[in-house]
């Protein structure tokens, strides 16, 4: 009997669904080159179903109390901690991080969930008495359906930059994890369902250009958050804003270190190496420029 490679499912309206896609992307374990899963290029009909589900869920979800949404963040926080090993194993298998880095990936994302557990204070509005007979005030309201587009380098942290913030503020989410390592995002979708996030509030779709173009153009989607490379980010930002959406695009960065002569030599050299080459340099925080001042330049050959 031949071996059948597993497929990555869609998560639409609270259910894991086998895609009807005709095009698939193989995900290889970087250590063994084994194909560990096949990721669908989500069909137009499936994208439509995901958007419809998110739009349908928005009304009731946006009216859910802050305290109820906060409770779900606390429950999600607990669920992620309880499933850290499964998340880390998925990251190692699909993305190639060593196990310690995979756990760090999860912990950085979990910090956002921790922060969102304090949502009542973040959602406070303002009030100002501008005259004896006039007050002005602000109220923070959900936008609607929002989309998150994630890169491959942090399979847990990037979805967790987006998912908890979108949900706890009363929005519904269409999430597109990287087609190169979607496993962690699928585990997070399952955990959302397990802790009681209502159907349709979180939907996960897959693919490449066609999926991105749908997320940046569909009228039901009010905002897009993107993390990734410069070329893709420029495309996402321009397309989303042309269609009247709010867009935050976090692209490649240029990070500098300035080293003064009175720095601790060994600590500095070790820190520079880690900052430049950690995660094989595949992160926007990677150090790309080091400026050695004065006699500190004598340390360069020892890097």
């Amino acid at each position: 009997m031949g071996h059948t490679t597993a497929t990555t499912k869609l998560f639409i309206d609270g259910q894991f669904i086998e895609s009807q896609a005709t095009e698939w992307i193989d995900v290889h374990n970087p250590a063994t080159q084994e194909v560990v899963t096949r990721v669908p290029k989500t069909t137009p009909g499936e994208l439509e179903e995901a958007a419809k589900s998110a739009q349908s869920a928005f009304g009731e979800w946006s009216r859910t109390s802050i305290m109820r949404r906060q409770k779900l963040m606390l429950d999600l926080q607990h669920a992620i901690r309880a499933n850290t090993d499964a998340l880390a194993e998925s990251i190692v298998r699909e993305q190639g991080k060593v196990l310690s880095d995979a756990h760090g990936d999860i912990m950085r994302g979990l910090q956002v969930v921790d922060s969102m557990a304090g949502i009542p204070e973040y959602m406070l509005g303002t009030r100002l008495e501008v005259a004896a007979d006039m007050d002005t005030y602000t109220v923070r309201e959900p936008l609607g359906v929002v989309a998150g587009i994630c890169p491959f380098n942090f399979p847990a942290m990037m979805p967790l930059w987006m998912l908890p913030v979108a949900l706890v503020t009363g929005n519904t989410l269409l999430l597109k994890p990287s087609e190169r390592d979607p496993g962690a995002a699928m585990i997070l979708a399952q955990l959302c369902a397990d802790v009681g996030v209502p159907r349709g509030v979180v939907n996960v779709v897959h693919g490449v250009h066609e999926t991105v173009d749908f997320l940046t153009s569909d009228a039901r989607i009010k905002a897009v958050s993107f993390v990734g490379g410069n070329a893709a980010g420029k495309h996402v930002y321009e397309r989303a804003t042309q269609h009247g959406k709010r867009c935050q695009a976090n692209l490649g960065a240029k990070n500098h270190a300035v080293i003064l002569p009175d720095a601790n030599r060994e600590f500095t050299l070790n820190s520079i190496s880690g900052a430049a080459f950690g995660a094989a340099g595949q992160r926007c925080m990677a150090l790309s420029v080091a400026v050695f001042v004065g006699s500190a330049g004598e340390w360069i050959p020892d890097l």
Side-chain angles (χ1 to χ4, degrees), residues 108-131:
R108 288 297 189 188
L110 187 57
Q111 289 171 349
V112 180
V113 186
D114 294 344
S115 181
M116 290 302 100
I119 192 61
E121 181 161 343
Y122 297 144
M123 293 292 284
L124 290 175
T126 60
R127 178 182 177 276
L128 175 65
E129 185 178 348
V130 295

Side-chain angles (χ1 to χ4, degrees), residues 113-275:
V113 186
D114 294 344
S115 181
M116 290 302 100
I119 192 61
E121 181 161 343
Y122 297 144
M123 293 292 284
L124 290 175
T126 60
R127 178 182 177 276
L128 175 65
E129 185 178 348
V130 295
D133 59 350
M134 184 184 300
D135 293 343
T136 63
Y137 62 91
T138 61
V139 177
R140 299 182 185 273
E141 295 183 336
L143 288 173
V145 181
V146 298
I149 303 171
C150 303
F152 81 99
N153 53 350
F154 288 90
M157 185 177 80
M158 289 296 113
L160 288 172
W161 273 14
M162 302 174 188
L163 185 151
V165 181
L167 267 58
V168 79
T169 52
N171 302 288
T172 56
L173 176 67
L174 292 178
L175 181 71
K176 193 199 90 66
S178 171
E179 68 281 0
R180 295 165 63 180
D181 46 20
M186 302 313 295
I187 294 172
L188 293 172
Q190 180 65 66
L191 296 181
C192 285
D194 290 346
V195 302
V197 174
R199 292 171 61 163
V201 172
V202 176
N203 298 272
V204 183
V205 296
H206 305 289
V208 285
H209 307 94
E210 295 83 359
T211 302
V212 169
D213 285 350
F214 176 88
L215 296 176
T216 51
S217 64
D218 188 86
R220 289 162 292 195
I221 297 170
K222 304 305 181 186
V224 178
S225 182
F226 169 87
V227 179
N230 289 352
K234 186 173 185 291
H235 173 76
V236 166
Y237 185 83
E238 290 179 350
R239 187 175 174 88
T241 53
Q242 285 168 4
H243 286 87
K245 305 181 191 309
R246 298 187 188 186
C247 182
Q248 58 177 12
N250 300 279
L251 316 184
K254 194 76 169 176
N255 302 295
H256 296 66
V258 178
I259 299 94
L260 301 179
D262 62 348
N264 181 295
R265 180 178 178 279
E266 291 305 315
F267 178 80
T268 299
L269 294 178
N270 288 334
S271 297
I272 290 172
S273 298

Side-chain angles (χ1 to χ4, degrees), residues 11-17 49-62 64 68 72 167 171-174 189 192-204:
F11 187 69
I12 298 176
D13 202 36
Q15 299 182 59
F16 289 96
I17 298 170
E49 286 301 312
K52 185 187 299 183
S53 172
Q55 184 182 42
S56 177
F58 173 68
E60 183 174 351
W61 180 245
S62 66
T64 302
R68 167 65 176 152
L72 284 172
L167 267 58
N171 302 288
T172 56
L173 176 67
L174 292 178
C192 285
D194 290 346
V195 302
V197 174
R199 292 171 61 163
V201 172
V202 176
N203 298 272
V204 183

